[in-house]
Amino acid sequence: MEIYGVYNSMQNSLTNRKVDNIIYCDEFFVRLRIGGRKLDKKTIVSLRNIFFDYGNELILNGINLDIYDKEFITLLGPSGCGKTTTLRIIGGFIEPKSGDVYFDSQRINELPPHKRNVNTVFQKYALFPHLNVYDNIAFGLRLKKLSKAEIENKVKHMLAIVDLKGYEKRKINNLSGGQQQRVAIARALVCDPEIVLLDEPLGALDLKLRKDMQIELKKIQQKTKKTFVYVTHDQEEALTMSDRVVVMNNGSIAQIGTPADVYNEPANAFVADFIGEANILNGVMLDDCKVEILGKEIACVDKGFGKNTPVDVVIRPEDIEVVAPEDAVLVGTVEDTIFKGVHYEMSVKCNKCQWIIHSTVAQKVGSTIGMTVDPYNIHIMPKMFFAPDNFIDTTVLYNDIEANTTTISIEGNEITIPGVCFKEGSRLQITLPPSGLHIAGDGVGDLDEVYIESVIWKGEHNEIILESDERKWLMQSDQDEQVATYVPISFDFSKAKFDGILEEGETDEI
């Protein structure tokens, strides 16, 4: 995608600004080049610095988003990421705690749903079982007190668009799931809204019907030339139907782009992991176009990270070429091979790291293979947690010389550390590696109610980012934890390094 210019109707000037790979536009029009075509896109909805919380739980954390007229845009992310809350704010069902919602450049924060030119299709279609297909679709038009002739013309037109012509007198309970969904879409479209909001409408359908309806939904959107804002956690749905995808995580936007953008050029490890399959590895950027993976220097095309910078490295399974071991820097042993229809999926162990390879040619289990990757298919990105360890600055509350323990406070919780005894009142800097944290299996931890922000498999273990009341933590685990849940965590200080803080900016190892 290439930005040619942004027209700001208030300032009568061309402006644009780019932050964290997301282009936020304060514009009325934006000119895009997508796939070689130039398109004029009118911004129909703008969300500006949207915050929302339930009690003490932050749901949306400063969302900025422009939605263009006549586009199919999908909000994609795991459960609890804030995508449905964003949809409900657009629809007027809830108000943001702060920030502004604009519709055609007019602020509409306090405008109720029935006064917004927006209709919603829910996962449970909310059709009226006592009304037939015709009357369900006509319901909104009758509320608007249109004439009988107008209603009939509009309903028949909509029935043709959703391919239900001849179903006018059918009872709702006699329709299949896909047909009921089409009725719900027709009812939403017949009142001629500018925007249709769709909250996981395919979730109740079986796999084959869901795939069929993905194509049908896109056709309906193109026929009606309406703006569709779609919410899903299904990556295939998002990639199949969308003009643009908004990937959300932990109440924030991780990346906005075309389906090809978010798949081929993920902004961070979360996006790479959530969109399709990927080998995500810890690496070190040795220099421009040189990255170290598993102790091996590999050529890439990325620049500007600086020398010896820790990075995340993403390689898609289909981008790995199997060659003879003597022709490759990376060599591994095939541990498993599964036929997936269009390719074989192979699990390969390389330097204690598990790789996934997709190939049309199967390799025997137990065989040694070489692996090469075109430099253009190696994606380098900044780490989501920039420090390699967890650093804790604290003060010794008291000690027990006889028991050889030290008690400190972390976020108001008193924690006793065995095996060390430091002077009361002394200040400590504790360096705790990711392996020094674990989720308390008995439900009682040093810190309770810690939020799991992301879980990324790094070939050897899961790299987990957690958020407590005052900070974020980095943890390693062999267990696959659930994102967007709250867990108790405990610290293993036997793996920690302790430094006494002498004065600001200076430390002395104890």
Side-chain angles (χ1 to χ4, degrees):
M1 184 173 70
E2 184 176 348
I3 296 293
Y4 280 82
V6 176
Y7 180 73
N8 187 314
S9 58
M10 302 297 291
Q11 299 179 4
N12 194 32
S13 62
L14 286 172
T15 62
N16 70 70
R17 56 194 174 95
K18 185 172 181 180
V19 181
D20 295 335
N21 295 320
I22 302 171
I23 297 177
Y24 302 116
C25 305
D26 297 323
E27 81 291 354
F28 197 60
F29 290 97
V30 59
R31 182 178 293 277
L32 307 175
R33 179 187 290 276
I34 302 176
R37 299 177 297 124
K38 289 184 180 179
L39 301 172
D40 284 327
K41 288 286 187 179
K42 173 187 174 184
T43 297
I44 191 169
V45 170
S46 290
L47 304 180
R48 288 289 171 266
N49 206 29
I50 299 294
F51 286 85
F52 187 84
D53 59 42
Y54 286 116
N56 294 325
E57 184 179 352
L58 186 63
I59 306 300
L60 295 179
N61 187 16
I63 294 292
N64 288 280
L65 176 64
D66 290 315
I67 297 172
Y68 303 134
D69 190 28
K70 300 180 179 63
E71 79 167 331
F72 196 123
I73 187 169
T74 296
L75 308 181
L76 174 69
S79 298
C81 71
K83 54 189 184 294
T84 295
T85 301
T86 303
L87 198 78
R88 289 171 60 80
I89 286 174
I90 295 171
F93 300 107
I94 55 176
E95 287 187 37
K97 292 300 172 71
S98 64
D100 297 305
V101 183
Y102 294 95
F103 191 100
D104 274 346
S105 74
Q106 299 296 315
R107 187 177 181 275
I108 59 168
N109 284 41
E110 294 80 23
L111 200 66
H114 68 277
K115 291 188 177 181
R116 301 188 184 196
N117 199 7
V118 175
N119 272 344
T120 305
V121 178
F122 300 98
Q123 184 174 355
K124 295 181 179 178
Y125 309 130
L127 299 173
F128 301 114
H130 63 288
L131 301 179
N132 61 23
V133 169
Y134 183 98
D135 291 333
N136 262 279
I137 297 173
F139 185 82
L141 299 175
R142 287 173 176 151
L143 290 179
K144 291 187 173 185
K145 302 187 184 302
L146 271 63
S147 68
K148 186 175 181 180
E150 283 182 287
I151 291 173
E152 185 173 355
N153 285 337
K154 287 179 178 291
V155 172
K156 286 185 175 179
H157 175 66
M158 198 53 57
L159 284 166
I161 286 177
V162 299
D163 199 22
L164 286 176
K165 192 174 181 179
Y167 284 72
E168 293 90 332
K169 298 184 183 297
R170 293 279 185 96
K171 293 182 179 180
I172 294 301
N173 291 335
N174 292 338
L175 300 178
S176 68
Q179 290 168 339
Q180 289 184 23
Q181 187 202 54
R182 292 171 194 233
V183 174
I185 293 168
R187 187 176 66 180
L189 288 168
V190 75
C191 293
D192 198 30
E194 288 191 71
I195 299 176
V196 179
L197 308 178
L198 302 105
D199 190 4
E200 303 203 51
L202 305 184
L205 305 181
D206 62 65
L207 180 61
K208 185 178 185 306
L209 185 55
R210 190 160 68 241
K211 289 179 179 291
D212 291 341
M213 285 307 302
Q214 290 171 13
I215 306 301
E216 290 303 317
L217 266 178
K218 184 61 180 176
K219 287 181 180 178
I220 291 169
Q221 187 264 334
Q222 291 173 334
K223 284 181 185 177
T224 59
K225 297 182 179 179
K226 299 295 182 184
T227 300
F228 276 29
V229 184
Y230 192 92
V231 160
T232 185
H233 62 270
D234 188 301
Q235 302 94 322
E236 183 181 330
E237 285 182 9
L239 296 178
T240 299
M241 297 186 291
S242 309
D243 297 316
R244 287 192 302 153
V245 178
V246 180
V247 185
M248 299 184 66
N249 182 35
N250 198 34
S252 300
I253 293 176
Q255 186 172 0
I256 303 175
T258 66
D261 288 338
V262 297
Y263 185 83
N264 293 322
E265 297 293 338
N268 55 42
F270 169 80
V271 176
D273 183 62
F274 196 77
I275 305 292
E277 291 190 81
N279 297 288
I280 305 175
L281 308 167
N282 291 315
V284 176
M285 205 69 183
L286 301 175
D287 206 338
D288 287 348
C289 303
K290 291 180 183 179
V291 65
E292 182 183 285
I293 308 172
L294 303 176
K296 305 291 185 180
E297 183 180 316
I298 306 292
C300 61
V301 297
D302 294 271
K303 300 178 180 180
F305 285 87
K307 292 185 178 182
N308 300 316
T309 303
V311 292
D312 283 327
V313 182
V314 174
I315 302 174
R316 296 290 184 185
E318 65 271 19
D319 291 331
I320 300 173
E321 182 183 359
V322 177
V323 297
E326 58 269 22
D327 295 332
V329 174
L330 296 171
V331 176
T333 302
V334 179
E335 294 193 332
D336 195 18
T337 299
I338 301 172
F339 180 58
K340 290 292 187 91
V342 296
H343 64 258
Y344 292 92
E345 181 174 285
M346 292 174 284
S347 178
V348 178
K349 195 68 167 290
C350 175
N351 291 8
K352 298 183 179 180
C353 186
Q354 209 75 30
W355 292 65
I356 298 297
I357 300 176
H358 291 170
S359 175
T360 55
V361 179
Q363 303 295 323
K364 289 183 179 181
V365 173
S367 63
T368 300
I369 62 171
M371 300 182 293
T372 64
V373 186
D374 188 301
Y376 284 92
N377 291 328
I378 297 175
H379 309 289
I380 310 296
M381 54 197 64
K383 297 191 74 66
M384 296 175 63
F385 195 96
F386 294 102
D389 296 303
N390 301 283
F391 297 99
I392 305 167
D393 288 345
T394 187
T395 301
V396 177
L397 299 179
Y398 45 85
N399 60 30
D400 187 328
I401 297 175
E402 185 176 338
N404 194 28
T405 62
T406 296
T407 299
I408 63 171
S409 175
I410 298 179
E411 299 188 9
N413 297 277
E414 290 192 7
I415 300 170
T416 299
I417 306 173
V420 292
C421 188
F422 301 118
K423 182 180 177 181
E424 291 183 11
S426 61
R427 294 180 60 209
L428 296 176
Q429 183 181 81
I430 304 173
T431 303
L432 188 64
S435 59
L437 281 75
H438 63 270
I439 294 174
D442 59 2
V444 180
D446 295 321
L447 295 180
D448 296 324
E449 298 294 308
V450 179
Y451 183 80
I452 299 180
E453 181 177 306
S454 70
V455 180
I456 308 293
W457 176 252
K458 289 296 187 72
E460 297 180 75
H461 53 257
N462 281 308
E463 191 172 272
I464 301 176
I465 298 177
L466 308 113
E467 185 172 11
S468 59
D469 290 340
E470 298 179 9
R471 57 169 293 167
K472 293 186 179 184
W473 304 88
L474 184 65
M475 183 177 79
Q476 288 179 3
S477 175
D478 294 331
Q479 303 298 318
D480 191 13
E481 303 295 342
Q482 179 62 50
V483 174
T485 57
Y486 289 86
V487 295
I489 63 170
S490 296
F491 304 113
D492 180 3
F493 286 106
S494 67
K495 299 181 178 181
K497 176 187 174 185
F498 298 89
D499 291 287
I501 301 176
L502 301 177
E503 56 184 71
E504 189 171 353
E506 296 184 6
T507 63
D508 183 35
E509 186 173 348
I510 299 176

